[in-house]
Amino acid sequence: ENIPLLPGSPRRLSPRAVVRGGQGPKHGQQCLQAPGPPAQGLQGSVPQGSGQASGGGSAPNSSVINNYLEASEPVSSEARVSCMHFYDSQRKVDYVLAYHYRKRGAHPGHSSPGHNLAIVSNGETGKDPQAGAPGDIELGPLDALEEERKEQREEFEHNLMEAGLELEKDLESKSQGSVFVRIHAPWQVLAREAEFLKIKVPTKKEMYEIKSQGSIAKTFSKILHKLSAPLKPRVPEHSNSRMKNLSYPFSREKMYLYNIQDKDTFFDNATRSRIVHEILKRTTCSRANNTMGINSLIANNIYEAAYPLHDGEYDSPGDDMNDRKLLYQEWARYGVFYKFQPIDLIRKYFGEKIGLYFAWLGLYTSFLIPSSVIGIIVFLYGCATIEEDIPSKEMCDQQNAFTMCPLCDTSCDYWNLSSACGTARASHLFDNPATVFFSIFMALWATMFLENWKRLQMRLGYFWDLTGIEEEEERAQEHSRPEYETKVREKMLKESNKSVVRKLGTSGTEAEDEDDEDKLTWKDRFPGYLMNFASILFMIALTFSIVFGVIVYRITTAAALSLNKATRSNVRVTVTATAVIINLVVILILDEIYGAVAKWLTKIEVPKTEQTFEERLILKAFLLKFVNAYSPIFYVAFFKGRFVGRPGSYVYVFDGYRMEECAPGGCLMELCIQLSIIMLGKQLIQNNIFEIGVPKLKKLFRKLKDETEPEEADSAHSKHPEQWDLDYSLEPYTGLTPEYMEMIIQFGFVTLFVASFPLAPVFALLNNVIEVRLDAKKFVTELRRPDAVRTKDIGIWFDILSGIGKFSVIINAFVIAVTSDFIPRLVYQYSYSHNGTLHGFVNHTLSFFNVSQLKEGTQPENSQFEQEVQFCRFKDYREPPWAPNPYEFSKQYWAVLSARLAFVIIFQNLVMFLSVLVDWMIPDIPTDISEQIKREKSLFVDFFLKEEHEKLKLAEEPARRSQSSGHRSKRGPAASPAPSGRSQLGSSASSGSQHTSV
């Protein structure tokens, strides 16, 4: 079909370009013009009754020249087969480019549809004879910019046609508005690009069954299949878990291998749009400083958007079904929350990258079920044993009458430990021996989750033919980001100015620097790196300062509330609740700020490729959001109450304000409250309300804006909008980073501090059940269709997950050892208890203080305590006042400290060892998949030999016929010679290979 392999090469147009006449297009439709011989001399004359060619006597908008294929009469929107096609109802719209235009504002005559510029395929501008000359109008700055963009668009669209694509676009019939350039890839282009991209497609070989290992596994699989049948979505199984197609990279020379029944449907819509997107990415535009690809043109506002179309409407009435509607009904509704996800259909519609995200999210959610069950059991164990807990009983026993030292200076009185009975009983729900075993379980759970994900990833990679896509990833590295190209051009411009001076003095050293001129070196990036380092340090310092500010708020508020008798009893509850809410609000605000800052910092680094940009953005955003989300929790877990001092020698933040200390039952209960409110608040407000509310508000604002803009509306068009109009009104797809980020932060909440909050997996599970359907609905109904991206794994996110899993072991070890009373109880029970029980534990943990040694001005004023106090108690391991070294750390303190450190070391090494053991026991590649990969190779060999044998048979058949007919006629040497074996083979092979030569 005379289509060149690459854009920009010499081009000979197909002689089949003809005039489309007749009724004219709907809504001022215009196809790109292909120059060629006059219409009268073409194959297939102009249909009778049609208008003349463009530039003839008819109005310019009444005839449309079609590119490459034969024309047909335009069809109205109501009569067309599908809104997914060109106006000839034959060619699919594989991709859409959108841009906004404005006419030269001074002359209303230019808003008429009869005065339009027609883009021709060589990139020049064909003007209407009736239109005024450009010189008649003095161009303003905006008009000149618009003209420049128009020329760049024309050149880019011409280059797309040079690459073999077919375009159709609307007329610019208003004073200003949006225009859609619709792109169709014909079979020849699809075949060429599929071979270039090495896209794997199914062969003629029928689907073969993957055999199960042993009869027991097979029986168990059947039982499981029957039990889970009601939970499966009602979608066609594109890739059955036990069946697989034999796929092979597409090759035009081996067309006989593939089962090509219909060329229009051989490549699905996602693959077609992916092929067009690859062409768009590599097509250049010399008028735009040799800009490479559509992304650069969008960045320079030459086009507004580029997107593939959705497969029709998801809520259309009737029984007509498309993949989008099927996904909506079986996946993107809250009513089907109990069903499995149709992962294969998601992958088919959105591509492998999004398919892997939802597969990961589904596996993570399903793994939360066992951890939630165990967490509930641990919590119920705490509830069941609360009456048997000896330390809380002793604390609640009013007969013990432990007189505690004042909580603040002057205004606070002495108090009985039994008044903190409720806090002590509540802390036992989360501070009991079961939480230690739950922490070990969750560390192993994280390892098992990651190992199972690696196995599922390998399984999906096998079924989705993702093996050997390293070349595609390398090819993706070739496409530079627009910002990188701009920076390189600026550098080269500076270098070219300097080289004029350089050439006068030197000539030999220039060759060495040539390579550095067309890329950015570390010297060019150093200011960006320095800015990144300084900004990240500043942001982390800002987070810490806000945490310190909240600490100051807690201290000052507690002191203020203690002055009033009415509020004195509820000081701790009030301060804790309000401080946690402040922390939550600050975290939500800083999360949004840090996301924007991370993006800006990554931009000034100027990474070369999109993949590098994404990885660096993820690392920065994760670091900042991790510090933001967890810093107040780290403070409560490891720092609160550690630097208080002791009675008579307290540590003061400001003059008169003591450092805050933990509740009598320890800081674990407060840590649990802090963790639960921040986790639930983030999930409810940020993840759900923001995700649901913000897109709806954006849609509402856009609708109000469209209604207020004075545009010449087309009533027929507004009643029956095309699919590209509907998709243009949707939100653009911005990547999976926000989706992964919220799940990774949640994974941290589930694993890092699970020793203090065993119910974290339960709340995560409830959130994720909604999150899966929320994300599904967003992708199906609210976002433009993303480009199908092939990738073999989830990338840097797996490394972050693995890092959090390892870090969680250390954090949980310290939470159990330092924050909880688990170690002090063990030490007391086995070293100091007289009868091997915890009787006397509370008295053991409280030290004595002689109240006469309180500093002047800090004693309680007007003490209402019943009896005169000589000694008060405080929680610490210190020598009593009558000891030789009063108030020094006692032997018990050092015994408990050494036990805590020993526990951290033993716990960490034990759990790490068990994690490595689990990792070793679970192979990364499932056994059946590794065997099937070997089996597939032998199947390929058999299939190729069979097909080659049939091909040779077909090639030899004409030769045999010609020989037998020659013997019958007994012709002599004068007979015409037979064609050579090579030409015979080629011709007969093409005739018998069930395809059209490309």
Side-chain angles (χ1 to χ4, degrees):
E1 287 290 347
N2 301 320
I3 295 176
L5 285 176
L6 292 171
S9 56
R11 173 176 180 268
R12 194 168 81 240
L13 284 172
S14 168
R16 292 157 62 185
V18 296
V19 179
R20 178 197 287 171
Q23 306 166 11
K26 175 187 172 292
H27 188 52
Q29 177 250 353
Q30 169 196 10
C31 285
L32 294 182
Q33 213 173 51
Q40 291 83 353
L42 296 178
Q43 283 183 357
S45 58
V46 180
Q48 289 189 3
S50 65
Q52 295 179 356
S54 179
S58 64
N61 65 329
S62 65
S63 62
V64 178
I65 303 287
N66 196 7
N67 187 27
Y68 291 115
L69 299 182
E70 287 87 348
S72 60
E73 293 295 321
V75 184
S76 68
S77 180
E78 293 82 0
R80 284 167 56 204
V81 176
S82 167
C83 292
M84 300 280 298
H85 290 73
F86 277 10
Y87 281 97
D88 60 7
S89 294
Q90 293 175 0
R91 290 168 291 167
K92 276 185 180 179
V93 177
D94 297 318
Y95 220 87
V96 175
L97 306 180
Y99 65 88
H100 192 83
Y101 71 91
R102 60 179 293 278
K103 295 289 183 68
R104 298 174 188 174
H107 296 269
H110 283 276
S111 64
S112 168
H115 299 269
N116 279 288
L117 300 174
I119 299 176
V120 294
S121 63
N122 61 359
E124 297 173 355
T125 305
K127 300 174 184 64
D128 189 290
Q130 301 172 7
D136 297 342
I137 299 171
E138 187 178 346
L139 297 180
L142 284 175
D143 292 327
L145 181 63
E146 185 63 32
E147 284 296 317
E148 185 184 353
R149 288 175 179 169
K150 187 181 182 73
E151 290 173 359
Q152 291 170 359
R153 284 194 293 266
E154 288 174 0
E155 187 202 347
F156 184 71
E157 288 160 11
H158 162 68
N159 289 342
L160 292 179
M161 290 196 293
E162 289 284 351
L165 297 176
E166 298 174 6
L167 311 183
E168 178 185 71
K169 67 189 293 187
D170 303 320
L171 283 173
E172 298 176 2
S173 57
K174 304 175 186 176
S175 59
Q176 64 175 358
S178 296
V179 168
F180 300 98
V181 180
R182 299 173 286 282
I183 302 174
H184 168 76
W187 169 255
Q188 294 89 343
V189 175
L190 292 172
R192 180 191 77 206
E193 296 296 322
E195 184 175 357
F196 173 64
L197 297 172
K198 296 182 179 177
I199 293 174
K200 287 188 176 182
V201 293
T203 59
K204 286 180 185 176
K205 175 75 177 173
E206 293 181 358
M207 294 179 78
Y208 64 92
E209 186 177 0
I210 296 177
K211 294 177 181 177
S212 300
Q213 283 283 328
S215 58
I216 298 173
K218 199 170 184 179
T219 309
F220 180 74
S221 179
K222 282 183 180 178
I223 294 169
L224 197 64
H225 184 78
K226 285 181 181 178
L227 290 174
S228 61
L231 304 178
K232 290 187 177 178
R234 291 174 295 177
V235 298
E237 292 187 352
H238 298 286
S239 145
N240 192 311
S241 59
R242 307 308 309 169
M243 303 291 288
K244 187 183 184 301
N245 261 316
L246 200 62
S247 299
Y248 186 73
F250 189 84
S251 171
R252 289 176 290 179
E253 295 178 358
K254 295 185 174 68
M255 299 282 276
Y256 55 88
L257 296 176
Y258 316 111
N259 189 17
I260 304 175
Q261 296 176 350
D262 185 357
K263 291 180 181 178
D264 288 337
T265 58
F266 181 69
F267 295 107
D268 59 35
N269 290 346
T271 307
R272 293 173 71 99
S273 64
R274 178 178 154 227
I275 287 172
V276 174
H277 188 238
E278 285 292 332
I279 297 174
L280 290 171
K281 282 199 295 186
R282 70 164 188 255
T283 304
T284 57
C285 181
S286 60
R287 290 179 186 268
N289 297 319
N290 286 317
T291 299
M292 172 74 81
I294 185 64
N295 294 333
S296 300
L297 296 177
I298 291 173
N300 294 326
N301 297 317
I302 296 164
Y303 287 98
E304 269 192 66
Y307 52 91
L309 289 181
H310 277 294
D311 289 1
E313 296 185 52
Y314 65 89
D315 55 353
S316 58
D319 296 331
D320 57 317
M321 190 60 68
N322 56 61
D323 284 348
R324 188 187 187 193
K325 192 173 181 180
L326 192 60
L327 281 170
Y328 178 72
Q329 291 180 355
E330 294 295 322
W331 178 53
R333 293 187 301 116
Y334 295 113
V336 292
F337 72 92
Y338 60 92
K339 289 188 176 182
F340 295 129
Q341 299 184 88
I343 292 297
D344 291 316
L345 185 59
I346 297 167
R347 171 251 179 177
K348 175 178 179 262
Y349 193 80
F350 292 111
E352 284 77 5
K353 189 171 185 178
I354 293 173
L356 282 174
Y357 164 70
F358 281 104
W360 175 84
L361 183 56
L363 183 71
Y364 171 50
T365 304
S366 62
F367 256 73
L368 283 171
I369 296 172
S371 60
S372 299
V373 172
I374 303 295
I376 291 170
I377 291 171
V378 169
F379 179 73
L380 292 177
Y381 171 81
C383 295
T385 58
I386 194 167
E387 297 297 334
E388 301 169 12
D389 184 44
I390 296 170
S392 59
K393 272 185 181 180
E394 289 184 349
M395 200 176 287
C396 294
D397 189 1
Q398 294 184 359
Q399 293 180 358
N400 287 331
F402 295 113
T403 304
M404 305 298 291
C405 296
L407 295 173
C408 63
D409 294 343
T410 311
S411 57
C412 294
D413 201 355
Y414 303 106
W415 56 286
N416 277 322
L417 186 61
S418 57
S419 63
C421 175
T423 311
R425 288 170 68 86
S427 65
H428 176 73
L429 298 175
F430 305 101
D431 187 3
N432 57 67
T435 56
V436 179
F437 297 104
F438 187 55
S439 300
I440 297 172
F441 168 79
M442 287 304 293
L444 299 178
W445 172 87
T447 305
M448 288 188 69
F449 164 62
L450 294 176
E451 288 304 308
N452 274 274
W453 168 244
K454 282 195 277 188
R455 288 168 63 82
L456 178 60
Q457 197 169 252
M458 284 299 302
R459 188 176 291 278
L460 292 175
Y462 172 67
F463 279 107
W464 294 353
D465 295 313
L466 296 178
T467 50
I469 67 164
E470 287 78 9
E471 288 185 23
E472 292 183 34
E473 293 175 347
E474 287 175 10
R475 195 160 47 244
Q477 297 288 338
E478 297 172 5
H479 299 294
S480 300
R481 295 177 63 251
E483 293 83 356
Y484 182 84
E485 290 179 352
T486 306
K487 198 80 175 176
V488 170
R489 274 199 300 272
E490 289 174 0
K491 181 188 175 183
M492 292 177 72
L493 192 63
K494 287 179 184 176
E495 293 293 332
S496 62
N497 293 335
K498 289 179 183 177
S499 64
V500 177
V501 181
R502 235 185 252 157
K503 281 178 183 177
L504 298 173
T506 60
S507 59
T509 58
E510 288 183 12
E512 297 174 6
D513 299 331
E514 280 181 3
D515 293 337
D516 292 336
E517 287 181 12
D518 60 350
K519 63 182 181 180
L520 299 182
T521 60
W522 70 270
K523 291 179 183 177
D524 302 313
R525 297 177 188 273
F526 183 72
Y529 289 150
L530 192 63
M531 188 68 182
N532 267 263
F533 182 72
S535 300
I536 289 171
L537 280 182
F538 172 75
M539 293 296 164
I540 293 172
L542 174 67
T543 305
F544 289 159
S545 63
I546 289 172
V547 172
F548 181 73
V550 175
I551 294 168
V552 172
Y553 161 80
R554 294 160 71 118
I555 294 168
T556 53
T557 307
L561 292 175
S562 299
L563 296 173
N564 191 343
K565 288 182 181 179
T567 57
R568 195 175 294 167
S569 57
N570 297 318
V571 169
R572 198 178 293 277
V573 176
T574 307
V575 169
T576 301
T578 54
V580 171
I581 291 168
I582 292 170
N583 271 327
L584 175 62
V585 172
V586 168
I587 286 169
L588 293 176
I589 294 169
L590 287 183
D591 251 8
E592 301 301 317
I593 295 172
Y594 286 169
V597 168
K599 196 169 186 179
W600 174 72
L601 289 175
T602 311
K603 279 181 180 176
I604 64 174
E605 267 189 56
V606 201
K608 184 176 181 181
T609 63
E610 286 295 340
Q611 185 180 347
T612 313
F613 179 87
E614 188 179 15
E615 287 179 355
R616 293 184 182 181
L617 172 62
I618 288 167
L619 281 175
K620 289 184 189 65
F622 173 72
L623 176 63
L624 293 173
K625 292 190 176 190
F626 182 90
V627 171
N628 181 41
Y630 296 115
S631 52
I633 299 169
F634 270 91
Y635 163 72
V636 174
F638 303 122
F639 298 101
K640 185 179 178 182
R642 311 288 166 202
F643 310 102
V644 179
R646 59 171 180 82
S649 180
Y650 283 114
V651 176
Y652 290 87
V653 181
F654 300 113
D655 192 26
Y657 291 106
R658 276 164 39 183
M659 278 293 289
E660 58 178 346
E661 48 190 304
C662 292
C667 275
L668 199 70
M669 189 62 203
E670 189 174 339
L671 176 61
C672 175
I673 294 169
Q674 182 108 1
L675 194 66
S676 58
I677 291 178
I678 290 176
M679 181 181 177
L680 292 174
K682 268 183 70 68
Q683 289 185 166
L684 289 173
I685 298 171
Q686 190 177 40
N687 299 355
N688 293 329
I689 293 175
F690 281 11
E691 281 193 29
I692 296 169
V694 172
K696 288 191 182 297
L697 285 173
K698 284 183 178 178
K699 199 173 182 180
L700 180 64
F701 285 142
R702 198 163 50 241
K703 190 178 179 182
L704 292 171
K705 187 182 175 185
D706 292 341
E707 287 175 358
T708 53
E709 279 186 357
E711 281 196 7
E712 307 101 26
D714 185 355
S715 59
H717 184 68
S718 59
K719 284 180 184 176
H720 302 283
E722 299 290 353
Q723 188 62 47
W724 44 86
D725 290 303
L726 296 170
D727 286 7
Y728 181 68
S729 66
L730 299 175
E731 283 292 307
Y733 167 72
T734 55
L736 288 168
T737 302
E739 318 301 333
Y740 272 116
M741 188 65 74
E742 74 180 65
M743 288 296 106
I744 296 293
I745 296 295
Q746 185 203 83
F747 183 78
F749 281 118
V750 169
T751 54
L752 288 178
F753 294 95
V754 75
S756 63
F757 189 41
L759 294 178
V762 180
F763 292 114
L765 175 64
L766 295 174
N767 175 78
N768 286 10
V769 169
I770 301 169
E771 181 71 25
V772 170
R773 306 302 161 178
L774 185 64
D775 284 349
K777 190 174 182 182
K778 183 169 69 175
F779 274 89
V780 173
T781 66
E782 295 172 5
L783 296 180
R784 292 176 193 157
R785 187 172 183 172
D787 293 304
V789 178
R790 279 170 66 81
T791 183
K792 61 183 179 181
D793 52 35
I794 60 173
I796 197 171
W797 295 112
F798 183 84
D799 300 324
I800 292 174
L801 283 167
S802 183
I804 290 175
K806 290 179 173 61
F807 190 50
S808 69
V809 177
I810 302 168
I811 295 298
N812 280 302
F814 275 100
V815 167
I816 295 166
V818 176
T819 314
S820 77
D821 277 340
F822 179 73
I823 299 301
R825 290 184 183 190
L826 279 181
V827 171
Y828 175 78
Q829 188 172 356
Y830 294 106
S831 300
Y832 297 100
S833 176
H834 300 294
N835 52 6
T837 64
L838 288 174
H839 287 288
F841 172 73
V842 174
N843 184 53
H844 177 75
T845 58
L846 298 176
S847 300
F848 287 90
F849 179 75
N850 191 342
V851 296
S852 63
Q853 295 176 357
L854 284 171
K855 287 183 180 178
E856 285 294 328
T858 62
Q859 298 95 339
E861 290 181 351
N862 306 319
S863 176
Q864 303 294 320
F865 212 67
E866 296 173 0
Q867 67 270 16
E868 189 177 343
V869 178
Q870 186 178 0
F871 295 100
C872 65
R873 310 293 293 273
F874 63 99
K875 191 170 182 178
D876 207 346
Y877 291 103
R878 290 184 182 266
E879 297 287 351
W882 53 83
N885 300 312
Y887 309 126
E888 294 291 326
F889 287 119
S890 63
K891 291 179 182 178
Q892 290 92 330
Y893 171 83
W894 299 110
V896 169
L897 181 63
S898 59
R900 280 173 166 163
L901 294 176
F903 175 82
V904 168
I905 294 168
I906 293 169
F907 181 89
Q908 180 183 332
N909 285 284
L910 174 65
V911 175
M912 288 291 189
F913 169 74
L914 292 175
S915 300
V916 171
L917 187 65
V918 169
D919 190 354
W920 175 75
M921 288 174 66
I922 302 175
D924 291 349
I925 305 175
T927 311
D928 58 337
I929 295 298
S930 59
E931 289 183 0
Q932 288 304 322
I933 290 172
K934 295 173 187 173
R935 185 185 168 208
E936 198 172 83
K937 289 178 182 177
S938 64
L939 284 172
F940 262 126
V941 173
D942 296 341
F943 175 65
F944 276 133
L945 289 174
K946 183 183 174 185
E947 289 296 322
E948 288 291 333
H949 186 63
E950 288 181 5
K951 181 181 170 184
L952 287 170
K953 262 188 179 180
L954 290 169
E956 289 169 1
E957 210 169 296
R960 287 175 187 167
R961 286 176 186 170
S962 62
Q963 283 177 8
S964 60
S965 62
H967 282 304
R968 283 196 200 106
S969 59
K970 296 182 180 179
R971 283 192 175 181
S976 59
S980 66
R982 185 177 176 183
S983 61
Q984 273 185 11
L985 181 62
S987 60
S988 56
S990 66
S991 65
S993 59
Q994 302 178 8
H995 77 286
T996 305
S997 298
V998 180

